[in-house]
Amino acid sequence: MGLFSAAYVPAFVEIAKGDGARGMYEVMQNPAMTAMVGPTPVETGSEYTVGAMYAHTMVLFCGLIAMAVSMLHVAGHTRGEEEDGLTELIRSFQIGRQANSFAVTVETVFINILLALFIGGVMVSFGADTITTEGSFLFAATVGAAGIIGIAIALLLAQIMPTAAGAKGASLGLMGLMYIIRAGTDVSNVDLSMVNPLGWTYLTNPFTENNGMPLLYAFLFTGALVLIAYTLEGSRDMGAGYLPRREGRGKAKESLLSAQGLLLRINKGLVISWLVAFVLLGAAYGSIYGDMQAFIESNELISQMFLHSEVSLEESFTSTIMMVLIILVSILPIAMVNKLYASENGLYLSQLYATKVTRARFYWTNIALATAAGILGILVAAGGLGITAITVMDQNNTMEIMDFLAAGFNFLPSVLFFIGFSALLLGWVPKLGKLVYVYLIYSFFLNYFEGILDLPEWFLNTAVQSWIPRMPMESFELITFTVLTLISLSFMGIGYIGYKGRDLDERA
């Protein structure tokens, strides 16, 4: 998290060379971009320095990541440990009812303070112009404050919600709601965003106004929520929330009486939320097409990434942005495959495998649903990008919606590869399932910056996307498409062999 937040300073220095900063400023004035990353107090392109650009594009997303991690950590080590029976064991000693929550709070605050110090130190170490010490540590403090706000929200909802999963879901849902509300107020009236707790993070405006007052609001808000949470915890029964558990049906729906129905129900919320995110992200990128000419031609580095001979600017941009979207689309099926292991680790599958349902049925149903989600994700992401781009481009545009869909489904073998890789680990070494995300991030950086970094071809080919041509800039290759698809399917088959023969990995 610290490196993600701080280590891109050299890249932004390169982007700002020439008229790059001015071009970036013009693009970021698009209301869709304001809704996505927030506003900037800078009023002219000439004032859009490296520091202003970095804070404008990075601070909100870095804060969201810190907030989400803190929420999951706090909810997992409060209500999660109550459900696992660990809190009951701890409370058998002579300690207060809030001792565990207090320990988790102190620990997570300390983690966010260390994170902030690390981010500030790394940013200052680059010695870049306009990346001042004051601005760097305000940027860092803003990210840490977002994490601390996440602590308070999760701790409060951990007392209210009936389950740990409910506390996590409600916390992340509230974070998403705050993000959506601030998107509207940032575009219409940014002063209203100051009422939003999320606004107290990015509206510090590091490197420009350096306004530390919102951090005071954040810490007062956090302190109030934590006190309320401790009061509520002192009055509730262990393992119970203030909202009652929803009573289940007397009889299950008919759809739940099959493996596919059960797995579909388990993944429904995950799939819907990610598909909505893909549509919005595709539309946000599509809205840039009307302003991209000034931005891309203003900077040699950006031109190197997006301008190619005999290829239109829109086609070149589409080939790169589509790769970014496909990387994000790949997260959904990976998460669905890994969720089968989470169910196994939570002692649920041992009950199901005691019935006549075979491992093969659960494994292949899960893989099929993940594949269907990946295909649907490509459709909505490419469709959202294409429809929005065609709407904002001028009449001289030569691209059609099928060009965007073809560019998206050209990367289908990449999505299948990550599903196959996840299935392979699920079958043989399920505890290493998170390694797929590491390789996904590695592939993204290698492909996104290959036009800037002078890397040997063999090294670039260690990322699966490097084997796939970038449509519509390049032509479709049937052999590559077929070979990568077959490799992915073979991974799924080998994964099944391991899954069928290994013992269940259960915590009990």
Side-chain angles (χ1 to χ4, degrees), residues 331-353:
I331 296 174
L332 173 58
I334 293 173
M336 292 178 68
V337 173
N338 286 342
K339 205 162 187 178
L340 187 61
Y341 174 64
S343 298
E344 172 186 338
N345 198 236
L347 303 179
Y348 303 122
L349 294 188
S350 56
Q351 303 173 52
L352 298 173
Y353 287 146

Side-chain angles (χ1 to χ4, degrees), residues 378-400:
I378 295 174
L379 178 64
V380 298
L385 176 69
I387 292 172
T388 309
I390 292 172
T391 302
V392 301
M393 285 190 289
D394 56 37
Q395 296 179 348
N396 296 325
N397 166 52
T398 59
M399 295 189 68
E400 299 178 351

